Amino acid sequence: MEELLTDPRAATAVPEAVPRADEPAIWSRNFRYYFTARSAGLLSWAMLPVAVSAGLLSGGHGLDTAGYAMAFLVGPFAGLVLFGGVLADRFTARRMMIAADLANLAAHVLLALLFLHGIDRLWQLYALLAVAGTANAMFQPGASSTVPLVSRDVQGANGVLRTSEALTGLGGPALAGAMVGLGATGWVMALSAVAYGTSAVCLFTLRLGSVPAPPADRGLWRNLVVGWQEFRARSWLWGVIVIWMFFAVLSWGPQLSVAAGVVVPEYGATAFGLLNCALGAGTVAGGLLAIRWKPARPLAAGAVAILTYPLYPLGIVLGWPLWLLAAAQVAVGAGVGVWGVMWATSVQTQVPGEVLNRVHAYEVAGSVGMYPIGSALAGPAVRAFGTDRVLVVGVVVAVLTALALLATRPVRTLGRAPARA
């Protein structure tokens, strides 16, 4: 920041990164390209877990293999996202996102070949999923910090992006499940590769100008330390992450694999994809609501919204029919959609731009870092305690998560950041 105060070129360049007042509040030129890029990437991300989990189970592999596959996908992401934040500050978020898209493109081409020819060695699948997870770790910090640079209405933009995520979550799992049901898991990966190539092209067209960056003489570890100090200084931020870590291990992490282990054998891969499609439909509703609804205390409102999360695992335990499980997924998606917009907007508007990539990286590492542990433990936990007990624990923990967020004063009382001109 010292250089921004002393270098006349930097002083005039930084404002160019902020959307101009004469542009649309949301749908500026940059946002349209960014929206296309994110939608393409989100479609791929929505298809991948369903395609891998259902493809492995349909191909005769066990629940353990599906759980380990998810762990290899999310583990590198959680472990390396901190470095993604530092590198995004050093080399710019856009360059890191383009490089990540190209890496994902290559990984998904190889995944397509692997599924088309048959998986003889699981280590090859795990290695390619780890590459995809690493690429997403390099992408994610910039994905958040770019939003304030391409739209003046940050919450509205997050609502649009959440709706896009929901729509891709609506169509992606259903498409993946249907294709897996037809024995075409490899073609799911080929479609994902095309989507990542589209994302890279759109990101290349962005015109962001210069953005705040840490001093060039700061090393990697010093930048990590500064990011940690900024993260730790905000009690509402780390308070949410601590609560979310327990939620990720005991509820969110195991749920996909455990649900697949119940739904796929009984109803088939297509039904499992459609249930995830219903989750996407609910998230569309939540995202659309969050575009307009701007509560004075966004995190408190979001915590109330995610009280819907336990409905789906509870329905599986109680043996609800498919249509009722789908309705539960819609409600879950709506709650998750509202929470996601409120959380992303709070982080992007409450944290200064020059440290946002690194702070967001700590946020993602903490919130997602426990997911692979929960996913990897899904199979052993089911064998040790039974499917119903694992799901009931997830239900209880999900309820306690929402209550803990509301009981934490810095989280409950955090207000909205002032609107930008």
Side-chain angles (χ1 to χ4, degrees):
M1 284 300 290
E2 294 87 347
E3 293 177 353
L4 299 179
L5 297 176
T6 58
D7 186 345
R9 294 171 298 173
T12 57
V14 171
E16 295 177 9
V18 180
R20 299 192 310 269
D22 60 346
E23 290 183 317
I26 297 177
W27 291 99
S28 64
R29 173 196 176 277
N30 276 334
F31 183 77
R32 292 195 298 271
Y33 280 112
Y34 183 70
F35 172 81
T36 303
R38 288 299 290 137
S39 297
L42 288 168
L43 176 65
S44 296
W45 189 250
M47 291 192 297
L48 185 59
V50 173
V52 172
S53 297
L56 288 171
L57 292 171
S58 298
H61 296 277
L63 180 61
D64 283 357
T65 301
Y68 293 145
M70 292 301 98
F72 273 98
L73 175 65
V74 182
F77 173 84
L80 298 174
V81 71
L82 291 178
F83 297 97
V86 173
L87 293 174
D89 276 337
R90 178 61 60 204
F91 299 108
T92 77
R94 187 180 70 155
R95 290 174 184 168
M96 290 303 302
M97 289 190 290
I98 293 172
D101 277 339
L102 295 177
N104 253 323
L105 188 157
H108 281 75
V109 168
L110 294 175
L111 281 168
L113 295 174
L114 186 64
F115 275 102
L116 288 171
H117 288 85
I119 302 174
D120 297 324
R121 297 177 178 85
L122 284 172
W123 70 264
Q124 296 174 337
L125 171 68
Y126 296 153
L128 290 173
L129 290 174
V131 171
T134 300
N136 280 285
M138 299 299 106
F139 187 101
Q140 184 58 42
S144 178
S145 65
T146 301
V147 175
L149 305 180
V150 297
S151 180
R152 289 186 291 115
D153 182 355
V154 178
Q155 181 171 322
N158 279 314
V160 170
L161 292 169
R162 179 64 61 172
T163 302
S164 172
E165 181 178 0
L167 288 171
T168 56
L170 179 67
L175 177 60
M179 293 178 72
V180 171
L182 296 173
T185 306
W187 291 107
V188 177
M189 303 304 168
L191 179 60
S192 291
V194 173
Y196 280 117
T198 301
S199 176
V201 171
C202 289
L203 291 172
F204 184 78
T205 65
L206 291 180
R207 300 172 184 169
L208 297 181
S210 300
V211 295
D217 57 350
R218 276 187 186 167
L220 172 67
W221 296 109
R222 176 56 184 163
N223 283 321
L224 282 174
V225 169
V226 171
W228 170 252
Q229 291 171 342
E230 294 286 345
F231 174 82
R232 189 180 61 179
R234 294 165 173 82
S235 56
W236 62 269
L237 183 58
W238 61 258
V240 170
I241 299 308
V242 169
I243 294 169
W244 211 260
M245 290 170 71
F246 290 96
F247 171 68
V249 172
L250 299 173
S251 184
W252 176 37
Q255 183 168 293
L256 180 67
S257 298
V258 176
V262 174
V263 175
V264 173
E266 186 169 353
Y267 299 106
T270 301
F272 182 60
L274 290 173
L275 284 176
N276 285 277
C277 177
L279 178 69
T283 313
V284 169
L288 291 173
L289 173 62
I291 293 174
R292 294 293 183 183
W293 182 42
K294 298 182 178 179
R297 295 181 178 180
L299 294 186
V304 172
I306 60 171
L307 281 169
T308 61
Y309 189 88
L311 290 175
Y312 179 59
L314 180 62
I316 295 176
V317 172
L318 297 178
W320 289 354
L322 271 177
W323 71 267
L324 195 52
L325 287 176
Q329 282 284 64
V330 172
V332 171
V336 169
V338 170
W339 165 259
V341 172
M342 300 303 169
W343 173 247
T345 302
S346 296
V347 174
Q348 292 163 8
T349 58
Q350 301 278 353
V351 178
E354 62 269 19
V355 294
L356 181 54
N357 286 323
R358 283 165 287 169
V359 170
H360 177 63
Y362 276 103
E363 171 240 319
V364 172
S367 59
V368 181
M370 297 294 105
Y371 178 91
I373 297 176
S375 180
L377 292 177
V382 167
R383 287 198 303 273
F385 305 108
T387 300
D388 285 355
R389 288 185 180 179
V390 173
L391 289 171
V392 167
V393 169
V395 168
V396 173
V397 170
V399 172
L400 292 176
T401 296
L403 295 179
L405 291 171
L406 290 170
T408 305
R409 189 173 184 278
V411 176
R412 184 180 69 251
T413 60
L414 183 73
R416 293 181 53 79
R420 297 196 296 178

